[in-house]
Amino acid sequence: MLYNLFGTINTLFIVVSLYGVFSQLKTVFERKQAAQCSDSPTALLSLNQFSVSFLAYLSFFIYGYSIAPFNHYIVWPRLVASLLVLGILIEIWRDRKTHLAFISMSLACVCLVGSILGLFVGETFADNGKLISTAIILLVSALIAQGYAHQIYVIIRSGSTGAVDLKMSQFILMMDISTIAFAFSMGLKQGWPLLVLAITSGVTKLIIMYLFRWVKLSPLAKARRAKAA
């Protein structure tokens, strides 16, 4: 009963977090259309961080269809989130036109297609998929800590949040909290990979949310913005 309750709650918060990711994509589109915007549409968005975020959502997607029973609470919202983050990666490439941005976007497309094909392979993949997806989640947990550390560094170094969207961090933090509760309801034996990733993600979102306040109040942030102007 707790599994279904927290699964439903987690799904609701995932849907809310999808709005957060969409809000970030919307911010990029709005900056592209704003003639008065002096910065690039994707200014200060960390390619590193969004590449890792894509892998995080995709690993949840794979994990959800690899475990038995098939976990609809995990699978479908994460697939939508993967598509939205892929949209952000595409916009970063369109804006910056760098080789690294192109490689990140291309690899994300390949991984997405491969993971969707894996959904239809059948029981042979599912038998081994849990080990694969668990390894991916642990790797992504380390990468997400590194990726968001880079985004945090970029904000602190510049004294500005640029195109980074506050709503995305707020809504994803809500999802992370509900994912922690959901992981406990699954039992630690099965849910511990989700727990590791959700805690890692949640801590980084708290730091980024604090930095929005730091940028407004810190004399150091103001000095760094003035120096960059």
Side-chain angles (χ1 to χ4, degrees):
M1 184 175 179
L2 283 177
Y3 173 83
N4 288 325
L5 173 62
F6 285 118
T8 301
I9 292 173
N10 183 238
T11 300
L12 291 174
F13 278 111
I14 291 170
V15 172
V16 171
S17 77
L18 292 179
Y19 174 74
V21 180
F22 174 75
S23 179
Q24 176 64 79
L25 189 57
K26 181 170 175 283
T27 296
V28 172
F29 287 143
E30 288 174 347
R31 288 170 65 88
K32 284 177 67 175
Q33 295 173 0
Q36 71 272 19
C37 182
S38 57
D39 292 332
S40 71
T42 63
L44 300 185
L45 293 185
S46 169
L47 176 64
N48 185 330
Q49 181 247 301
F50 280 101
S51 298
V52 171
S53 293
F54 173 83
L55 289 176
Y57 282 121
L58 199 66
S59 66
F60 270 99
F61 170 64
I62 297 171
Y63 185 80
Y65 69 69
S66 299
I67 59 177
F70 185 102
N71 197 313
H72 294 277
Y73 296 123
I74 294 176
V75 170
W76 306 119
R78 261 66 178 212
L79 177 58
V80 175
S82 298
L83 292 170
L84 288 173
V85 177
L86 178 59
I88 294 172
L89 291 175
I90 291 171
E91 288 303 317
I92 290 176
W93 170 70
R94 292 178 66 184
D95 180 38
R96 302 176 188 178
K97 292 293 193 296
T98 64
H99 291 298
L100 189 57
F102 178 76
I103 291 170
S104 296
M105 177 197 67
S106 300
L107 287 176
C109 291
V110 171
C111 289
L112 181 63
V113 171
S115 65
I116 292 174
L117 289 176
L119 177 62
F120 299 101
V121 167
E123 293 182 1
T124 301
F125 179 83
D127 290 339
N128 302 302
K130 185 178 178 182
L131 293 176
I132 296 171
S133 58
T134 297
I136 291 173
I137 286 177
L138 293 180
L139 176 61
V140 168
S141 296
L143 290 175
I144 207 167
Q146 179 272 329
Y148 275 97
H150 182 258
Q151 181 70 80
I152 290 164
Y153 167 73
V154 168
I155 294 173
I156 293 174
R157 181 187 63 185
S158 64
S160 170
T161 54
V164 178
D165 189 82
L166 177 60
K167 290 179 183 177
M168 188 179 79
S169 292
Q170 291 171 331
F171 290 134
I172 292 178
L173 176 61
M174 294 167 64
M175 179 195 70
D176 290 333
I177 293 171
S178 67
T179 299
I180 290 170
F182 184 43
F184 276 116
S185 74
M186 293 172 65
L188 289 180
K189 184 177 180 180
Q190 191 174 65
W192 69 268
L194 306 185
L195 190 62
V196 170
L197 184 51
I199 290 174
T200 303
S201 176
V203 169
T204 59
K205 300 305 180 297
L206 285 170
I207 295 172
I208 289 178
M209 287 165 61
Y210 166 76
L211 287 176
F212 272 85
R213 179 176 176 81
W214 175 79
V215 162
K216 291 181 180 179
L217 301 179
S218 172
L220 177 60
K222 183 177 180 180
R224 288 178 176 174
R225 289 197 301 275
K227 184 178 179 180

